[in-house]
Amino acid sequence: MIPPVHCYVLSERALVIAWVQRIDPAIAASIRKLQKQLTNQPFEGMLELVPAYASLTVFYDPLRVRNQYATSNSQRWVEAYLWQHIEKEQDQVVTSASRHIEIPVQYGGVNGPDLPYVAQHCGLSEAEVIDWHSRAVYQVYLLGFVPGFAYLGGLNEKLATPRKHTPRQGVPAGSVGIAGAQTGIYPVPITGGWQIIGRTSLTLFDVRENPPARLQAGDTVTFVPIS
Amino acid sequence: MIARVVKAGVLTTVQDLGRAGYRSQGVVVGGAMDGFAHRISNSLVGNSAEWATLEVTFGGLELYFEAESWIAITGHGVAVRIDGTEADCWRPLRIAAGSRLQLAYTGQGCRSYVAIRGGWQVPEVLGSYSTYLPAGWGGYEGRALRTGDVLTYGQNLPPLHPSLNWSLAPAALPAYQTHPTVRVIRGPEWGFFTPESQRAFSRQSHEVLPQSNRMGYRLEARMQKLRTTELLSTAVTAGTIQVLPDGNLVVLMNDAPTTGGYPRIAQVIEPDLSVMAQLVRGNQVQFSLLSPEQAEDKYVQYQEFTRNLEETLVQRLHPTTNVH
């Protein structure tokens, strides 16, 4: 368990618990544990928890906090509550089961129009790009940008490729892309600047499901090439 | 059918209070940009704050009503006509069957809200009626209204008393202006900027740039960073003011992504988002700094004021409870 380093105000109804700002699976695991603990023991007025790479943001209703806990400043009250839980967390061993999800991907061709560019940029053959991309185990750090978009950590640095200069209109849902040292999957059709190397037929976001996103922060992911 | 869209205007979408509980799924909150105007339009016709209203951007909406209805129009920037006769905003309005409602843009302000007694009927998506255009969900078939669309109401409520003829006092409205002062607290990355930039942020006016929409307002500025630290993406929310690489500001609004990685120089307090939502290109914004404690007090006062106003309005709609 890596403890957070500070807590700051985002807005009148959101506080952010921040860790040392780095992409680190151990920090991600600590965030997941605190998220789980707060979900199990919410304070009155706690509304939403949003995990990110090295932070957990807590949205709350100041009126409910003030009324429930007879305080004149909900922000100070919530901050004290959060630190109390963080200290408790230090001594506890919470085992959180992490899920592993395999994502079938058709690389290249119409599904991955930028595969040739990525291969050329990285000085690899297309087959090598597919091999390196599908060999790694990725971790989902956060969902953001668009609904269900998973930020994945663990891309081999050999494959790092800058974003496109001009974003492509109408990137289809399921497109697997690379941007800098990141890889990810577009869950909904949208304009996007990532280099598209393949596509999955899995539905990654469905408003009828609960939760609607197939990938959740904390999951691990591998890509399985299919032809 | 209750109403048919004769003209849809520039951009008319169904909105509500937004999607609660899905930020961790990357789902934008959305909802009415001017939350106060949305809520009050609903209470002026006896609806719940959660029910759907039409958000009309730059006017231009024209509706034909097949059945008698009670509506209320709020927000800023439209002149209302019913069958050619001028009508007031911020009051309950009876629309006779066969009438035509027209909203003409006045050139100031941006967004108005049309509530109908019973609420506009659209399917709920992830607990909300709000339209999210980039993904094509929510609201009316996930899109802006078009000519020929047919609207109906969700709940069948008894008609209001026909003699209702009062409007909300102007003093109760947000301070809509073309050069408003908007209150902010310092953001987590305030210290990333030079003292000159910090002073310019809070002492100069910032012009609203054309690239402004439901995701955010771009404002002209020349913020200079002290350090070039790259940030990891963290949660952002409506009102977060980020500094773009070109030194300009973006005030995130309802359709902004749930997370972002640009430095957050400040945060607009929620009560002032309604004022922000009514700005158009060329308007000037000035920021004034509050402490986080002051911001929370303002938020609580604003919520209590709005709730009391909603209750008062709903009570006033029923003459039996309005004993003099």
Side-chain angles (χ1 to χ4, degrees):
Chain A
M1 170 78 194
I2 298 178
V5 287
H6 72 135
C7 179
Y8 61 78
V9 175
L10 176 65
S11 81
E12 307 101 270
R13 44 191 191 134
L15 284 171
V16 183
I17 305 164
W19 277 256
V20 173
Q21 295 293 295
R22 62 167 191 259
I23 300 176
D24 176 343
I27 289 174
S30 303
I31 294 171
R32 229 63 65 218
K33 279 185 189 175
L34 183 60
Q35 181 185 8
K36 203 171 184 187
Q37 200 191 29
L38 289 170
T39 306
N40 293 340
Q41 289 176 274
F43 57 87
E44 176 69 31
M46 187 176 100
L47 300 174
E48 296 193 54
L49 299 173
V50 184
Y53 282 114
S55 67
L56 183 68
T57 302
V58 182
F59 286 88
Y60 60 92
D61 177 353
L63 277 87
R64 275 166 65 189
V65 173
R66 282 190 181 200
N67 291 338
Q68 178 69 24
Y69 303 104
T71 173
S72 61
N73 186 277
S74 64
Q75 177 209 307
R76 274 195 295 274
W77 189 92
V78 172
E79 184 171 350
Y81 181 92
L82 295 173
W83 281 119
Q84 197 188 319
H85 270 252
I86 290 158
E87 274 158 36
K88 235 196 273 174
E89 180 76 9
Q90 304 260 45
D91 322 323
Q92 279 181 11
V93 183
V94 183
T95 50
S96 61
S98 80
R99 300 185 309 165
H100 181 76
I101 291 154
E102 292 192 339
I103 298 189
V105 179
Q106 287 189 303
Y107 285 98
V110 287
N111 296 312
D114 301 320
L115 180 63
Y117 177 80
V118 172
Q120 190 205 335
H121 179 270
C122 302
L124 300 168
S125 70
E126 292 182 23
E128 286 170 319
V129 172
I130 296 169
D131 189 41
W132 285 114
H133 191 260
S134 57
R135 197 186 285 179
V137 177
Y138 301 96
Q139 161 143 24
V140 179
Y141 281 93
L142 69 145
L143 302 179
F145 164 53
V146 292
F149 190 95
Y151 284 83
L152 301 176
L155 182 73
N156 193 298
E157 14 181 90
K158 284 187 176 72
L159 300 181
T161 311
R163 284 177 172 79
K164 300 180 83 67
H165 288 299
T166 312
R168 180 181 269 123
Q169 302 284 324
V171 176
S175 293
V176 177
I178 286 176
Q182 308 178 87
T183 186
I185 314 158
Y186 285 92
V188 292
I190 202 150
T191 299
W194 291 35
Q195 307 285 354
I196 305 303
I197 60 169
R199 198 192 305 174
T200 178
S201 57
L202 284 188
T203 301
L204 291 154
F205 192 88
D206 186 342
V207 294
R208 293 161 301 186
E209 297 288 328
N210 186 23
R214 184 184 290 252
L215 303 180
Q216 294 290 315
D219 290 346
T220 54
V221 171
T222 44
F223 294 105
V224 181
I226 53 167
S227 48
Chain B
M1 167 184 139
I2 297 300
R4 195 178 67 236
V5 179
V6 181
K7 284 182 189 156
V10 178
L11 176 67
T12 301
T13 58
V14 177
Q15 297 294 342
D16 63 2
L17 297 175
R19 288 197 163 78
Y22 294 97
R23 290 180 205 252
S24 65
Q25 306 296 297
V27 174
V28 303
V29 178
M33 292 276 280
D34 183 341
F36 179 85
H38 160 85
R39 284 169 67 165
I40 299 306
S41 69
N42 266 331
S43 46
L44 284 166
V45 289
N47 290 348
S48 277
E50 296 79 28
W51 293 0
T53 64
L54 304 180
E55 180 178 274
V56 186
T57 308
F58 295 124
L61 177 71
E62 202 173 313
L63 296 178
Y64 170 80
F65 283 81
E66 188 188 60
E68 184 189 290
S69 310
W70 281 90
I71 63 164
I73 297 159
T74 62
H76 190 44
V78 288
V80 179
R81 284 175 178 274
I82 298 169
D83 286 334
T85 306
E86 274 181 40
D88 290 330
C89 291
W90 302 94
R91 58 159 294 176
L93 293 167
R94 193 181 78 93
I95 302 258
S99 298
R100 196 172 284 249
L101 170 77
Q102 292 170 299
L103 271 61
Y105 184 53
T106 60
Q108 280 190 4
C110 186
R111 288 165 234 274
S112 49
Y113 293 85
V114 182
I116 190 166
R117 182 156 167 85
W120 297 107
Q121 186 179 38
V122 291
E124 231 178 47
V125 175
L126 299 175
S128 161
Y129 303 120
S130 65
T131 314
Y132 177 49
L133 292 175
W137 326 311
Y140 194 98
E141 298 176 2
R143 60 170 172 82
L145 293 187
R146 288 184 205 141
T147 304
D149 285 346
V150 167
L151 302 168
T152 184
Y153 47 68
Q155 306 282 325
N156 208 350
L157 301 183
L160 295 172
H161 197 274
S163 67
L164 286 175
N165 65 350
W166 44 264
S167 301
L168 194 60
L173 308 187
Y176 297 131
Q177 284 173 38
T178 54
H179 291 59
T181 297
V182 163
R183 294 164 294 179
V184 299
I185 56 172
R186 288 184 178 87
E189 284 81 49
W190 172 265
F192 277 33
F193 298 91
T194 63
E196 297 74 38
S197 290
Q198 292 173 351
R199 271 196 296 276
F201 176 84
S202 49
R203 288 189 191 161
Q204 289 174 3
S205 289
H206 304 281
E207 185 172 325
V208 176
L209 298 172
Q211 315 91 306
S212 296
N213 52 34
R214 283 187 47 91
M215 285 173 70
Y217 275 87
R218 293 265 186 119
L219 306 178
E220 162 94 66
R222 289 191 192 84
M223 295 297 133
Q224 301 273 343
K225 278 202 270 186
L226 284 169
R227 25 180 166 158
T228 53
T229 329
E230 282 287 306
L231 290 169
L232 296 177
S233 284
T234 302
V236 290
T237 187
T240 302
I241 308 180
Q242 295 180 313
V243 180
L244 299 173
D246 63 6
N248 285 331
L249 305 170
V250 60
V251 184
L252 298 180
M253 298 298 284
N254 297 58
D255 278 355
T258 53
T259 55
Y262 292 127
R264 297 157 293 179
I265 192 168
Q267 174 74 33
V268 176
I269 69 167
E270 187 155 313
D272 289 359
L273 286 176
S274 285
V275 173
M276 201 65 224
Q278 296 294 355
L279 297 178
V280 296
R281 62 188 287 182
N283 287 173
Q284 303 275 336
V285 194
Q286 178 119 29
F287 295 117
S288 75
L289 286 167
L290 296 183
S291 70
E293 290 78 15
Q294 289 170 316
E296 184 180 314
D297 288 344
K298 298 288 176 203
Y299 174 85
V300 168
Q301 286 161 17
Y302 163 77
Q303 288 296 344
E304 284 171 348
F305 170 79
T306 310
R307 276 183 201 179
N308 288 338
L309 181 60
E310 285 170 331
E311 280 169 25
T312 308
L313 291 174
V314 170
Q315 274 172 20
R316 286 212 52 178
L317 294 175
H318 304 290
T320 48
T321 60
N322 189 16
V323 181
H324 292 280

